[in-house]
């Protein structure tokens, strides 16, 4: 899912960097000092989750979970996921430096969209209903991310269209898995710590 | 257990003595110049430069190059399709599809650029202690909140990985074997959910501990970063090398 340096056209790279900077600034404004520990620890949790490989047939996929990040963090998902991508690029060599902005937008923008669409559902009284909404959010965020990746490639040139299509269709099983996982995770959270989503809701913990 | 992000660098390498800020700016300048260049020989030179930086950084060559190769795994599809989708003079045919020279060249350029940038980034910045990186970014004007967030992430990545490993051991002890199926995905979902619940619980305890110590939101500056003659030499050498790359690019383009 990472795009690397040198693949995209300059306007796409610059546009991505600008949108990412805006999103991060907005995210930081939504993040009072009191919530930084929660956001930081969750950012670390999503970093660790991205190292988890889930089997699928003979192969395996690594988790992204940007939908869950959006449901839990809202706009703060932008800086939190940016930090994760920065650390991955610097210490693991995943992705690249000039494309950091594009990669941040591809991962974090779907998180924020899912936050607005599915968050009300996830805080419903009934845990199974909340789990279904989380599943929808988990799958939708991956769909949006792959669509954004494909879009960034498409804007960079006609020759990337087959690769963009392939990226999208190859990720359909990932969407299903992320949806199932997000649903199960939220179901468990609602059983174990029902007030988690309320306590993260901006109010000082 | 080693920190997941901790670089295995001997303390005395040539790059360790350079101001972290200079190294970060150097990595950014290198990335911009390399991405701006498009001539194959220039990109090969850039990759060679990145290799040289890696040698100076004292990073173990094996693991670093393996990480670089892992990144190539991500883009193999993109690279493999390009020769067949870029129109141009036919080079060879495979299963009735024709690969073009122009496409092969573009694929090679992306491969060289991506590897050079990532290698230089890991060599210049990846060899730092993660905490030093945070301080340096703060001193370069990155917003304090973002640096705080990054420091928390760095601090708790290892803690939460241990949490995750504990939970997976507990699952393995109960005869959980991952395979493709509903049971596996639900169990992994519960695992993720539990890690998140514990992360939030932990963050509440951390916030309490910080409040009790009168946390006011500023970052205490632990190491005095000072620009010295070594950094000037580093900046001059790297600047000269990057200028040479730009000149070579311009010369090739004119040629």
């Amino acid at each position: 899912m990472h795009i690397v340096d040198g693949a995209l056209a300059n306007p796409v790279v610059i546009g991505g960097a600008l949108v990412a900077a805006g999103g991060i600034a907005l995210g930081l404004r939504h993040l009072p000092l009191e919530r930084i520990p929660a956001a930081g620890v969750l950012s670390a949790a999503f970093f660790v989750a991205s190292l988890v490989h889930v089997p699928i047939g003979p192969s395996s996929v690594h988790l992204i979970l940007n939908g869950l990040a959006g449901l839990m963090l809202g706009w703060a998902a932008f800086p939190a996921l940016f930090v994760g991508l920065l650390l991955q690029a610097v210490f693991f060599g995943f992705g690249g430096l000039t494309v950091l902005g594009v990669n941040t937008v591809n991962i974090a923008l779907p998180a924020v969209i899912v936050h607005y669409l599915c968050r009300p559902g996830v805080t419903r009284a009934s845990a199974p209903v909340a789990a279904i909404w989380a599943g929808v959010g988990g799958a939708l965020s991956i769909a949006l991310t792959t669509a954004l990746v494909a879009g960034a490639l498409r804007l960079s040139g006609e020759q990337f269209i087959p690769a963009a299509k392939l990226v999208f269709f190859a990720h359909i099983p990932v969407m299903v898995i992320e949806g199932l996982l997000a649903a199960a995770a939220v179901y468990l959270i609602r059983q174990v710590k029902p007030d988690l989503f309320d306590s993260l809701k901006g109010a000082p913990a | 257990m080693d920190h997941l992000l901790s670089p295995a660098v001997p303390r005395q390498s040539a790059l360790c003595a350079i101001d972290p800020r200079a190294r970060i700016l150097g990595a950014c300048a290198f990335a911009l110049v390399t991405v701006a260049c498009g001539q194959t020989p220039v990109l090969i030179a850039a990759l060679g430069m990145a290799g040289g930086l890696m040698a100076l950084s004292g990073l173990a060559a094996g693991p670093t190059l393996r990480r670089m190769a892992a990144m190539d795994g991500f883009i193999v599809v993109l690279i493999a399709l390009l020769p067949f989708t870029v129109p141009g003079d036919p080079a060879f045919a495979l299963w009735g599809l024709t690969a073009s020279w122009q496409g092969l060249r573009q694929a090679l350029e992306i491969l060289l650029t991506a590897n050079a940038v990532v290698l230089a980034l890991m060599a210049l910045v990846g060899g730092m202690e993660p905490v030093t990186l945070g301080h340096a970014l703060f001193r370069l004007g990155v917003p304090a909140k973002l640096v705080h967030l990054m420091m928390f992430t760095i601090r708790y990545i290892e803690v939460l990985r241990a949490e995750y490993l504990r939970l997976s051991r507990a699952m393995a002890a109960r005869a959980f074997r991952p395979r493709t199926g509903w049971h596996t995905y639900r169990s992994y979902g519960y695992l993720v959910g539990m890690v998140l619940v514990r992360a939030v619980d932990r963050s509440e305890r951390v916030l309490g501990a910080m409040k009790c110590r009168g946390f006011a939101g500023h970052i205490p500056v632990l190491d005095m970063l000072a620009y010295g003659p070594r950094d000037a030499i580093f900046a001059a050498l790297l600047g000269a090398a990057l200028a040479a790359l730009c000149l070579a690019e311009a010369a090739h383009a004119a040629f």
Side-chain angles (χ1 to χ4, degrees), chain A residues 5 28 31 33-34 38 40-41 43 45 48 51 54-57 90-91 93 95 159 162 166 177 181 184-185 188 193, chain B residues 4 67 71 75 77 81-82 85 106 110 117-118 122 126 145 149 153 157 160 180 185 189-190 194 199 201 203 211 217:
Chain A
D5 286 307
L28 290 178
L31 197 63
L33 217 49
E34 298 241 302
V41 178
S43 164
V48 170
L51 301 174
V54 175
I56 167 166
V90 169
F91 292 102
Q159 71 273 28
L166 197 64
I177 290 178
L181 247 81
L188 177 120
K193 196 174 163 70
Chain B
L4 197 60
R67 282 179 173 177
M71 177 206 68
I75 53 171
V77 173
L81 283 178
L82 267 181
T85 54
Q106 199 177 350
I110 292 178
V117 171
V118 157
M122 285 196 288
K145 267 193 204 168
L149 189 63
T153 309
I157 280 176
L160 288 171
T180 306
Y185 298 143
Y190 287 169
M194 203 58 217
D201 280 345
S203 77
K211 274 184 176 166

Side-chain angles (χ1 to χ4, degrees), chain A residues 102-121:
Chain A
V102 176
N103 281 334
T104 303
V105 172
N106 288 350
I107 299 279
L109 193 59
V112 174
I113 293 172
V114 163
H115 174 81
Y116 280 110
L117 291 180
C118 303
R119 167 89 187 207

Side-chain angles (χ1 to χ4, degrees), chain A residues 42-60:
Chain A
L42 283 174
S43 164
F46 287 110
F47 187 99
V48 170
S50 75
L51 301 174
V52 176
H53 281 258
V54 175
I56 167 166
S59 175
S60 70

Side-chain angles (χ1 to χ4, degrees), chain A residues 26 39 47 73 89 102 156:
Chain A
L26 212 54
F47 187 99
L73 291 166
V102 176
S156 297

Side-chain angles (χ1 to χ4, degrees), chain A residues 35-106:
Chain A
R35 275 189 66 208
I36 285 186
V41 178
L42 283 174
S43 164
F46 287 110
F47 187 99
V48 170
S50 75
L51 301 174
V52 176
H53 281 258
V54 175
I56 167 166
S59 175
S60 70
V61 293
H62 83 87
L63 300 175
I64 304 176
L65 295 182
N66 52 342
L68 265 182
L71 290 174
M72 294 182 81
L73 291 166
W75 272 102
F78 242 104
L81 294 171
F82 165 75
V83 163
L85 286 171
L86 176 67
L87 293 175
Q88 282 192 343
V90 169
F91 292 102
F92 294 161
F94 294 167
L97 194 54
T98 58
V99 283
L100 206 50
V102 176
N103 281 334
T104 303
V105 172
N106 288 350

